[in-house]
Amino acid sequence: MMSEMNKKRTRISLLAMAVASGSVMAGYAASAGTDAGATAGADATAIAGSAQVRTLPIEQYLPTPAEFAKLSQAGGQLQQKCMQGLGFAAFQAPEQAPADPRETFTDLRYGTVDAAQAARSGYKPEFAASARTAKAGGASAAAADGPAPSGAVEPVLSDAEWLAMTGTTKDVGDNAKAKQAAPSQVQGKDVPPGGCIAESARTLTGGSEKLYADLAQDINGQSFKESLKDPRVTKAFASWSACMKGKGYSYKDPMQANDDPKFAVPTVSAEEIAVASADVACKNKTKLVDVWHSAEAQIQQRMIDAKATEMGTIKKAKQTALSKAQGAS
């Protein structure tokens, strides 16, 4: 994603303050059209049924989609002020749409688990479809490992505006070279390190350029990978697979069902709905999500405890950012 985000581009989408990669493009996305909002994987998470939401320990350290939306809005206001201070009086940060209430931090981590949703849209949850619809009008995707973008209209930046926003040039593909090649001033005024994007992140966090701290992101992804090898989970996978086989479907685990190439199309087929519905039924019958979530929560907590000092700092930075974002709104 880093190389894609730093290739030459002329249009960018305002999303949020800082992405997991930690690039100075934090808060903005390339206009290549990558559809991050529709992707469900190790770094997307799970809702257990339509009413019950399962939480994980890492949520104390990473912004939820709703928090992400608040930080995006506050960040946009700070970026606008910064840009206008650099002489771009007409610069306006686009308004950020509120987070979809159907989307939570824990959506889809363990696959589709809502029977009603599966019956309506198979493996294509409504909140992801909403993100795709919002982008279809011109707003493009996607920040690395951040929530789905809002429906904000993306600005078109001149070379000078790009320099002021990012502290880099548009022409250099490699981010480090882009930093080195970038002039230190624009319109006779000093560009803050990393541009107005990084400056706004530092203002919110009290010094950091990232809201999606690398360590928290790593734990979030690694705990999922570790859970796949946990004996309790592999045993539950086997039970789920046997249940699916009894319904006429041959998948070794829920990821294989979700990622079936037959379903990698924009429209939802009757077969996809049937498989997703069987998937949910078998998850309920075997209590797979209960077992999986419990195992991962334990794994995740051990990882957090092992880095208690660093994670405490990350938690404080998140709280500081949310407090400052609230004050800015």
Side-chain angles (χ1 to χ4, degrees):
M1 178 64 75
M2 282 294 293
S3 61
E4 289 299 319
M5 289 182 69
N6 291 287
K7 290 178 180 177
K8 182 174 181 179
R9 47 249 197 259
T10 57
R11 300 165 68 234
I12 59 178
S13 298
L14 178 60
L15 298 180
M17 292 308 308
V19 294
S21 65
S23 89
V24 295
M25 282 307 297
Y28 281 74
S31 60
T34 305
D35 193 356
T39 301
D43 293 328
T45 8
I47 190 168
S50 58
Q52 180 187 6
V53 176
R54 298 177 190 274
T55 61
L56 287 166
I58 202 64
E59 293 182 46
Q60 300 176 64
Y61 308 90
L62 291 171
T64 65
E67 290 168 341
F68 185 93
K70 292 178 183 177
L71 293 168
S72 294
Q73 187 63 41
Q77 294 170 1
L78 290 169
Q79 290 158 14
Q80 179 173 302
K81 181 179 179 181
C82 174
M83 289 291 285
Q84 292 175 349
L86 291 176
F88 300 98
F91 181 86
Q92 295 288 321
E95 288 292 317
Q96 297 298 294
D100 189 322
R102 294 169 296 186
E103 183 182 9
T104 72
F105 184 90
T106 52
D107 278 328
L108 304 179
R109 191 176 193 94
Y110 311 112
T112 296
V113 293
D114 185 330
Q117 178 180 282
R120 289 192 305 269
S121 55
Y123 289 114
K124 298 176 177 63
E126 285 90 346
F127 69 80
S130 296
R132 289 195 299 273
T133 300
K135 289 180 291 185
S140 60
D145 297 319
S150 74
V153 177
E154 58 184 281
V156 178
L157 303 186
S158 67
D159 288 353
E161 288 172 327
W162 185 275
L163 171 61
M165 282 296 288
T166 71
T168 69
T169 63
K170 287 196 289 186
D171 298 321
V172 183
D174 178 74
N175 188 44
K177 292 180 181 178
K179 286 182 181 180
Q180 294 169 2
S184 61
Q185 290 192 330
V186 63
Q187 301 189 144
K189 298 183 179 182
D190 292 336
V191 177
C196 289
I197 293 171
E199 180 71 7
S200 60
R202 288 191 292 268
T203 299
L204 283 179
T205 62
S208 174
E209 294 184 9
K210 293 186 286 185
L211 293 180
Y212 282 84
D214 290 342
L215 177 58
Q217 288 272 77
D218 289 345
I219 289 175
N220 189 38
Q222 192 59 37
S223 65
F224 183 87
K225 293 177 182 177
E226 290 293 323
S227 75
L228 299 177
K229 300 181 288 186
D230 187 284
R232 294 166 291 180
V233 176
T234 56
K235 182 179 179 180
F237 281 168
S239 297
W240 174 91
S241 182
C243 175
M244 288 292 283
K245 199 165 195 64
K247 295 179 182 293
Y249 305 111
S250 182
Y251 297 106
K252 67 177 182 179
D253 55 45
M255 291 78 71
Q256 192 176 68
N258 184 90
D259 297 338
D260 192 320
K262 291 183 293 187
F263 309 144
V265 293
T267 56
V268 181
S269 66
E271 182 181 7
E272 179 179 344
I273 287 175
V275 172
S277 297
D279 179 355
V280 174
C282 287
K283 283 191 177 93
N284 290 336
K285 181 178 180 180
T286 62
K287 300 189 181 301
L288 170 59
V289 178
D290 288 337
V291 173
W292 197 352
H293 169 262
S294 177
E296 186 183 11
Q298 292 174 21
I299 292 167
Q300 204 170 81
Q301 190 61 58
R302 286 199 300 271
M303 292 179 172
I304 291 169
D305 292 344
K307 299 286 185 179
T309 300
E310 297 97 318
M311 293 301 287
T313 300
I314 290 170
K315 184 177 181 179
K316 183 177 179 180
K318 174 188 169 179
Q319 294 169 337
T320 297
L322 288 171
S323 177
K324 291 189 175 182
Q326 185 67 29
S329 60

